[in-house]
Amino acid sequence: MEEKNCERLFEYLRDILYSPDACPLDVETLDPPYQKLGKGLRFLDKAVREMKEYSAELSKGNLSVTLPGKDNFLCQNLKNMHTNLNHMTWQAKQVARGDYSQSVSYLGEFSDAFNKMTAQLKEREMRLKEEAQKEKAHASMMEGYSQLLMELICRSEEQILVVGVEDGQVFYCNTKDANEDPKTNEIFKLCLEMTKKEGVLEQIQEEAEKVWETEDSLHRIFKVTTGLMHWQGELAYVHIIREATEERTREKRLEVEAYHDPLTGIRNRTYFEEQMEKLLERKEKMVFCYCDLDHLKYVNDRYGHLEGDRYIRRFVETVKSCVRENDLFARVGGDEFCIILRKCPKEMAERKMKRIQREFKETLGIPYPQSFSCGLVEISGKNRPQTLDEIIQDADCAMYDQKRNHKEEYEKQLNYSASEWIVNHTHEMH
């Protein structure tokens, strides 16, 4: 009888390990001494099946698959891999949105490839900035129209309007409709109104030409170069008109991409570093605040990266509601932010940051504690003994003192301890 029970259990174990569809074991058919072992094998059968199904879904890239139960010890490493894949997916989305501060350090060769890609994308961001500057330089060059262009009137694609200085008589215009009255053409009317303003004639006489922009009722932008010339013996204004709507739209788009954080809409690290250097050069008095959003990774892992994004945006909105328009607020990393409180005493800055922390913490309806850590450095403005990197380093050290206190404060709320897991696991087994 003993040999028969052992043979059945061995066959069941072999089916569990090697057969794609192991036949369930009826524990009641075993002799009492072997029923406990049979129940253990049935638990193993369930765990192995669950592990196979879980790993199969992960191999297909299905990261929304339901997690196995906490009692399935075979799936622990797969769960860790699942968490890493979810985090990597979030990081990839962040990079796609323009956050090139993301880096991976735990996946060997993939880490190297990912980090190299983000570095290349950051270089692309700098090239976009350079391209925006080139566009502005190109626009300035295009403004250099002079009276010599009048020789090319017949072949010109620009609209050209020549009117007398004394009486505003229209000497020449190249409207598309030959029968159109120039004085009813909206852009021409804007040109006529501009030349009637006080001091315009003297300005053009002194500078040779005036370059200006205007907008019509259809919100089209026009760039106009206005100069003086003699038309058949009479002094006249010549307006060379070019539509610049697409050009301005392209310039604004490039500037937004180069200087704004895509998730929050606030300024990015590039803009912050440029403005900070200017403030230091001017020796302006200010307080530098370095902020780090607490337990963002926990929120991403526990509630999903969309909630993590909302957590970041709630922080940004809280700060924006408490700082002034002339203060500088920028996102310089995934969970790192800098605030420059201009012409603000340190004591006032400390009170302001405590108020922001309090308001952020007291947000209702959030299933986890909201908080951030910050470090402040006062910059006197009398001299410039420190570089920007040194200021950031000092503020970072001050911030980490608060970070340690916050970690102790919120650890019990955030962590699911190993001992608690063991107690629950043992209870479920019995």
Side-chain angles (χ1 to χ4, degrees), residues 402-415:
Q402 194 176 96
K403 192 83 169 176
R404 282 189 289 270
N405 294 334
H406 283 183
K407 184 176 181 181
E408 294 175 2
E409 180 181 354
Y410 295 114
E411 189 170 15
K412 291 182 180 180
Q413 299 181 54
L414 300 177
N415 290 341

Side-chain angles (χ1 to χ4, degrees), residues 189-201:
K189 288 172 66 176
L190 292 171
C191 290
L192 294 172
E193 291 172 4
M194 191 280 297
T195 54
K196 292 178 182 178
K197 294 180 180 178
E198 184 177 354
V200 170
L201 177 60

Side-chain angles (χ1 to χ4, degrees), residues 111-303:
S111 299
D112 296 337
F114 183 90
N115 295 336
K116 182 178 180 180
M117 178 192 69
T118 54
Q120 291 173 342
L121 288 173
K122 186 174 182 180
E123 291 178 6
R124 173 182 172 273
E125 182 181 57
M126 297 304 297
R127 288 197 298 271
L128 284 173
K129 176 187 167 186
E130 293 174 358
E131 187 179 342
Q133 293 174 343
K134 290 178 181 178
E135 287 288 344
K136 289 183 178 180
H138 176 70
S140 297
M141 182 178 63
M142 294 297 290
E143 292 172 357
Y145 284 111
S146 68
Q147 298 177 21
L148 294 176
L149 290 177
M150 292 304 300
E151 298 176 6
L152 304 174
I153 286 178
C154 295
R155 292 175 289 172
S156 175
E157 294 182 0
E158 289 88 357
Q159 289 180 284
I160 298 175
L161 174 66
V162 182
V163 296
V165 171
E166 291 295 330
D167 54 8
Q169 180 184 352
V170 178
F171 295 140
Y172 176 86
C173 66
N174 61 344
T175 57
K176 294 180 180 179
D177 184 356
N179 297 320
E180 181 183 6
D181 183 354
K183 293 186 178 181
T184 63
N185 182 297
E186 185 177 3
I187 186 64
F188 287 175
K189 288 172 66 176
L190 292 171
C191 290
L192 294 172
E193 291 172 4
M194 191 280 297
T195 54
K196 292 178 182 178
K197 294 180 180 178
E198 184 177 354
V200 170
L201 177 60
E202 291 76 10
Q203 180 184 356
I204 297 175
Q205 287 175 331
E206 181 179 346
E207 300 177 2
E209 63 181 27
K210 175 181 176 62
V211 180
W212 54 288
E213 289 187 357
T214 188
E215 183 177 344
D216 67 6
S217 58
L218 298 177
H219 303 294
R220 295 177 300 178
I221 297 172
F222 293 88
K223 183 174 293 184
V224 184
T225 300
T226 301
L228 288 171
M229 67 174 296
H230 283 88
W231 183 277
Q232 297 179 352
E234 292 192 36
L235 187 63
Y237 290 113
V238 56
H239 304 282
I240 303 173
I241 306 161
R242 178 171 61 88
E243 185 175 351
T245 307
E246 291 185 5
E247 182 181 313
R248 283 288 171 265
T249 302
R250 184 168 61 251
E251 286 180 7
K252 290 179 181 178
R253 185 180 68 249
L254 290 172
E255 185 174 349
V256 167
E257 291 178 359
Y259 287 122
H260 286 78
D261 172 54
L263 175 64
T264 62
I266 63 174
R267 300 292 189 174
N268 61 12
R269 189 184 193 97
T270 301
Y271 181 85
F272 164 76
E273 290 178 347
E274 289 185 4
Q275 295 302 310
M276 189 63 186
E277 289 293 345
K278 293 178 182 178
L279 293 174
L280 291 174
E281 285 295 331
R282 293 201 296 265
K283 297 181 180 180
E284 187 168 321
K285 185 177 180 180
M286 55 190 157
V287 175
F288 180 96
C289 308
Y290 192 78
C291 305
D292 188 283
L293 202 57
D294 293 332
H295 45 261
L296 175 60
K297 186 178 186 302
Y298 166 83
V299 174
N300 285 330
D301 293 344
R302 183 70 180 272
Y303 300 99

Side-chain angles (χ1 to χ4, degrees), residues 33-44:
Y34 297 93
Q35 288 183 1
K36 186 174 182 179
L37 181 57
K39 290 179 180 179
L41 287 178
R42 286 180 62 177
F43 179 80
L44 177 63

